[in-house]
Each structure stands twice: as structure tokens, then as C-alpha cells.
Amino acid sequence: MAELRGDFARHTSSEFNDELEALCADLLKMGGLAERQLRLAIECQSEFDSSLVDQIKEAENSVNAWEIKIDETVASVIARRQPTASDLRLILVISKVVRDLERAGDEASKVAEMAQKSAESEKPSAVGHSEVRTIGDQVLKMLGDSLTAFARMDADMALDVARNDKEVDQIYQSALRALSTVMIEDPHQIGNVLNVMWVLRALERVGDHATNIAEHVIYLVKGTDIRHLSVANVEEAVMNAPDVDER
Amino acid sequence: MAELRGDFARHTSSEFNDELEALCADLLKMGGLAERQLRLAIECQSEFDSSLVDQIKEAENSVNAWEIKIDETVASVIARRQPTASDLRLILVISKVVRDLERAGDEASKVAEMAQKSAESEKPSAVGHSEVRTIGDQVLKMLGDSLTAFARMDADMALDVARNDKEVDQIYQSALRALSTVMIEDPHQIGNVLNVMWVLRALERVGDHATNIAEHVIYLVKGTDIRHLSVANVEEAVMNAPDVDER
């Protein structure tokens, strides 16, 4: 799990400050659980083990419970503390990020379901395993990095996550092309290949969620909303903007 | 576009009330654009027309701009008005719903891209058209209904959306099975079938986003957070809960 850097300590009310720190710490705990869910799901793909499925289910339940708990805390902190400016921005971002974490966890569960399906199939196959491993490792790293970028409010690290997402998209697209060829050359593999394609799709979505989190970090640090910009435009926007704290 | 019912008029400050009404109206405008994006994308699937693609792109840009504008208004209203209780809940829900609308619009754009790809392919085919039409019409209705349920704060209508999602999932799963069979029986169709599968997947996701919106409406009306419950449990929770206003 990403470590929380000490610079949330910028508030006049120390109690409020404690609450904000606790909220960020909760978000990172939830993130750690979503990461765990994903790591186990990827493991499941290379070596299926039904005990892993139980652990994933458990992590999923915790992630879901955290989503609701953090949303409630967000509402309660806003109602009691009436935050403005950067505190409010931080709290609203937390409320968006929980959604992305929950979604990333959901995709991880789908990956695990597919692993189960494939383990139970009559014709198990190793087709696509290397693609799953490559993309799986990449998006797992992206998710971890997006959380670390959040914990450290590190816009450069967040920008790297957005860059990695472009790479993952390219690997994903070329994996899909290669897998279509396998299908055409060996129609007996169609069922297995479809399975792998859904897994890759779910993993690619995790990369999107990590990128959303990273975009929120950039917004918090730079004050620039970079959603819906291309990576090149994002880089320009980020390079040219001073940090919010330095204005 | 869904019409806004007049019962947001429950605030002591009439200016604040106007702002909340305007925020809800903006959300519904954004929703109307996302619906339009989806309707055009589905049309594109049955009869490809490149001028539709331009209109979809235009709607997408507007949806994206609305997302950013509404998020900014949310932050500004909270900072200036310091809402609590049901007003705050409404505002925080709006900030979640914009995300689902933007995502639904994104999926619509993917559907249009796939239509373009298949129109440009050497072997255009009608395979899967009826499945696309069935699921497309269903999720378009779900998206519209979720917005109407929001505008009217109608928990029953929202519950219907969640029920429809179960149906769509079943139709989706059986369409995927039928399409796999087509692939196996006629490997020349593999490329076309894959295309249709991605389209169905994107449409099924739109249904998920409509359901998220519906769940938020139920939360606002009933005060019960029903995310992560099964439909049966949701029905029980909703039937047994009085409306928030009636407590």
C-alpha cells in the first residue's frame, strides 16, 4: 500500500486536518485492497486455485464496504467542516476515486471468474497467457503508481501513469489482433481465445481506472482539469503549470 | 430529455434553491446529450452514415464539457452554500452521476467507431444486427428512464431500471453464446462477430451506468445505499423503506 506523505498537514484546525488525513488513509487502504484483488486475479489466470477465488471475493466485499464508508465520511466531513478551496477539491476527488477503485476491483473479479471458467473447461489451453501476464503486470503497476502518486501528490508520477495507459492500449490492440489470427487458424481454440479476450479487456479497463485516478492527482496538484485531453496536450498543460501550492 | 419536477422547491433560501434547480437541469441536459450520442450510435450500427459520426463526436464533446462544468458548479455551490443533509446528498449524487453519463457517452462513441470499422471492412455482414438492435433499444430506454427517475425522484421507476439491467445481462449472455456458435460454424465471420461482440459489450456497459444512476436515485429517495446488493435484496430494501421526505 502507498504511504501517505505528511503534507496534508496544512490546515488551521488540527482536528479537521486529522479527519482529512484519516480520509486519505482510508482511501489508500481501499486502494491496497483493490490492488490485492487484482494481484490475486492475475495469479489465478496463470495458475488456477479455488482458494484464491475465495480471497478475491473477500477483498471485493471489503472494497465495496469501503466505498460506502468513505462516501459517508465524505458527506459527513463536508457537512461538519464546510471545507472550501483545496480541501474541498481534495474531498470531492476522494469521492470520485473510490468509484474508480471499486470499478477496478470489479474488473479484477471478472478476471478471476474467467480463470475459473477456463479451469473448468474441457479444453484448457495456454493461449494468451503471456499477453495476460504482460498487460496484467502493467496495469497492476499503474494502479499501484496512481495510488502512490495520490499519497505523495506527485504530478510527474501521475503523468507517467497516463503515459503507460497509451502503451497498454497499444499492447492490448496488438494482442487482440494476434488472438483473432489464432481463432481463424485454429477454430477449436475459439472458446479459449474469447475467454482471454474478455480477460484482456477487463485488465485494460483497470488501466483506464488507474489513469482516471492519476488525472485527479494532476488536477489536485496543478489545478488543471486534464480529463478529455490527449496525452500530448496533458503533458503540455502539466509542464507549463506551476503547482497549486506555489502560486 | 426528462422534465424536472417542481419539488426541488423545498429550500429556505430561494437563491440556493434556484442554484440547485439549475444544477439538476444541467445534469438532465447533459443526460439528454448522452442519450442522443447513444441513439445516433445505435442508428449507425443498422445503417452506417458518416455524417452521424460527426454528430456523435459533437455530442461527445458537449458531454465532456458538461462533465467539467457541472463538477465545477458542484464545488462552487458547496463552497458558497455549505449545504447539509438532503441538499448535500443531492449535490454529491450529481457529482457521481456526471461520471456515469460521461462513461455512457464514451461507450456510445465506441459503438459508433465499431460501426465505422465494419462499414469499411471488405466483408460487411448483417450478423448480430438484431441482437444489437434489441440490446441497444433496451439500454437506451434504461438510460432515459434513469434520467426521468432522477428528474421526478421516482424510486419505483429507478427500481425498474435495475430490474431491466438483469434482463439485459441475460439477453447479452445468450447473444454471446449464439455468436460464438456462428464463429465456430463459419470461421470467415470471426472478424465480423468479434466486432458485434465489442458493440454488445459497450451497450451492456451503458446499461450498467443507467443502473448506477438509478441506484443513486433510490439512495436519494429512500436514504438506503443499495449499491452492491442483489436485485432481490434491493427490492426488499426499497419496499420496506419510507421515502426520506415522509420520515
Side-chain angles (χ1 to χ4, degrees):
Chain A
M1 203 184 83
E3 289 279 314
L4 196 63
R5 206 176 63 166
D7 64 349
F8 290 107
R10 54 191 153 79
H11 303 285
T12 42
S13 151
S14 89
E15 241 179 84
F16 180 24
N17 188 50
D18 289 349
E19 278 187 54
L20 275 187
E21 274 196 33
L23 196 54
C24 291
D26 282 354
L27 188 77
L28 294 173
K29 263 183 229 156
M30 180 185 178
L33 280 164
E35 274 185 272
R36 183 178 149 76
Q37 212 179 328
L38 179 62
R39 191 177 305 111
L40 293 170
I42 296 169
E43 252 176 67
C44 244
Q45 280 287 327
S46 45
E47 194 162 351
F48 182 73
D49 173 353
S50 63
S51 76
L52 288 178
V53 175
D54 295 337
Q55 291 177 56
I56 292 166
K57 193 77 209 156
E58 211 176 290
E60 185 184 10
N61 290 338
S62 305
V63 164
N64 292 350
W66 273 113
E67 182 190 14
I68 291 177
K69 179 180 182 284
I70 293 174
D71 273 345
E72 283 170 0
T73 311
V74 160
S76 144
V77 170
I78 293 178
R80 283 182 295 104
R81 300 291 179 181
Q82 308 185 332
T84 57
S86 68
D87 294 336
L88 179 57
R89 270 208 300 274
L90 174 64
I91 296 171
L92 289 174
V93 158
I94 288 173
S95 128
K96 301 265 185 187
V97 169
V98 285
R99 192 76 188 155
D100 279 302
L101 288 176
E102 190 272 332
R103 284 292 154 126
D106 242 24
E107 301 292 346
S109 291
K110 280 183 211 159
V111 168
E113 273 166 38
M114 290 292 166
Q116 183 149 30
K117 215 167 136 184
S118 173
E120 288 164 0
S121 107
E122 288 160 24
K123 297 173 279 187
S125 141
V127 67
H129 272 196
S130 71
E131 284 89 344
V132 168
R133 173 56 69 178
T134 308
I135 295 184
D137 286 348
Q138 286 245 31
V139 298
L140 184 60
K141 184 174 181 306
M142 283 170 69
L143 185 61
D145 285 353
S146 71
L147 290 165
T148 306
F150 177 85
R152 300 189 191 155
M153 286 296 141
D154 183 336
D156 293 330
M157 192 167 192
L159 193 55
D160 277 340
V161 173
R163 280 193 202 106
N164 287 345
D165 195 43
K166 283 280 141 202
E167 247 180 76
V168 166
D169 283 351
Q170 280 162 8
I171 303 175
Y172 169 68
Q173 291 299 341
S174 83
L176 287 189
R177 280 192 297 273
L179 289 166
S180 312
T181 310
V182 171
M183 276 184 170
I184 292 165
E185 286 171 357
D186 183 3
H188 291 101
Q189 292 284 3
I190 285 176
N192 290 322
V193 172
L194 278 177
N195 226 329
V196 173
M197 283 181 166
W198 296 125
V199 167
L200 294 179
R201 170 81 181 148
L203 293 173
E204 187 261 344
R205 297 292 300 180
V206 173
D208 288 344
H209 291 297
T211 304
N212 291 344
I213 297 171
E215 286 176 352
H216 284 302
V217 171
I218 293 172
Y219 166 68
L220 287 176
V221 178
K222 299 290 185 181
T224 314
D225 201 324
I226 58 153
R227 291 177 294 186
H228 316 305
L229 293 182
S230 71
V231 166
N233 290 339
V234 168
E235 286 182 4
E236 202 191 315
V238 171
M239 300 306 176
N240 295 335
D243 288 3
V244 167
D245 288 349
E246 289 162 8
R247 279 179 194 164
Chain B
M1 201 186 84
E3 289 278 315
L4 197 61
R5 206 177 62 166
D7 65 350
F8 290 109
R10 55 192 150 80
H11 302 285
T12 42
S13 152
S14 90
E15 241 179 84
F16 179 25
N17 188 49
D18 289 351
E19 278 188 55
L20 275 187
E21 274 196 33
L23 196 54
C24 290
D26 282 354
L27 188 76
L28 294 173
K29 265 184 226 153
M30 179 184 177
L33 281 163
E35 275 185 271
R36 184 177 148 75
Q37 212 179 327
L38 180 61
R39 191 177 304 108
L40 294 169
I42 297 169
E43 252 177 67
C44 244
Q45 279 287 327
S46 44
E47 195 162 352
F48 183 73
D49 172 352
S50 61
S51 76
L52 287 179
V53 176
D54 294 337
Q55 290 178 57
I56 291 166
K57 192 79 210 155
E58 212 175 289
E60 185 184 9
N61 290 338
S62 305
V63 165
N64 292 349
W66 272 113
E67 183 190 13
I68 290 175
K69 181 180 179 287
I70 293 175
D71 272 345
E72 283 170 0
T73 311
V74 160
S76 142
V77 170
I78 293 178
R80 284 180 298 102
R81 299 292 179 181
Q82 309 185 330
T84 57
S86 67
D87 295 337
L88 179 57
R89 269 208 301 273
L90 173 65
I91 296 171
L92 289 175
V93 158
I94 289 174
S95 129
K96 300 267 184 185
V97 170
V98 285
R99 191 74 188 158
D100 279 302
L101 288 176
E102 189 272 331
R103 284 292 154 123
D106 242 27
E107 301 293 345
S109 290
K110 279 182 212 158
V111 169
E113 273 166 38
M114 290 289 164
Q116 182 149 29
K117 216 167 136 186
S118 100
E120 288 165 1
S121 105
E122 288 161 22
K123 296 173 279 186
S125 142
V127 68
H129 272 196
S130 72
E131 284 90 344
V132 168
R133 174 54 71 180
T134 309
I135 295 183
D137 287 348
Q138 285 246 31
V139 299
L140 184 59
K141 184 174 181 305
M142 282 169 69
L143 185 61
D145 286 352
S146 71
L147 291 164
T148 305
F150 177 85
R152 300 188 191 158
M153 286 296 142
D154 184 336
D156 293 329
M157 193 167 194
L159 193 55
D160 277 341
V161 173
R163 279 193 203 105
N164 288 345
D165 195 44
K166 283 281 139 198
E167 246 179 76
V168 166
D169 284 352
Q170 281 163 8
I171 304 173
Y172 169 68
Q173 290 300 341
S174 82
L176 287 189
R177 279 192 297 272
L179 289 165
S180 312
T181 309
V182 172
M183 275 183 171
I184 293 166
E185 286 171 357
D186 183 3
H188 292 101
Q189 293 282 5
I190 285 175
N192 290 322
V193 172
L194 278 177
N195 227 329
V196 173
M197 283 182 168
W198 295 125
V199 168
L200 293 179
R201 170 82 182 148
L203 293 173
E204 186 262 344
R205 297 292 299 179
V206 173
D208 288 344
H209 291 296
T211 305
N212 291 342
I213 296 171
E215 286 176 351
H216 284 302
V217 172
I218 293 173
Y219 166 67
L220 286 175
V221 178
K222 300 288 183 181
T224 313
D225 201 325
I226 58 153
R227 293 178 293 187
H228 316 305
L229 292 183
S230 72
V231 166
N233 291 339
V234 167
E235 286 182 3
E236 203 191 315
V238 171
M239 299 307 174
N240 296 334
D243 287 5
V244 167
D245 287 350
E246 291 164 6
R247 280 177 196 167

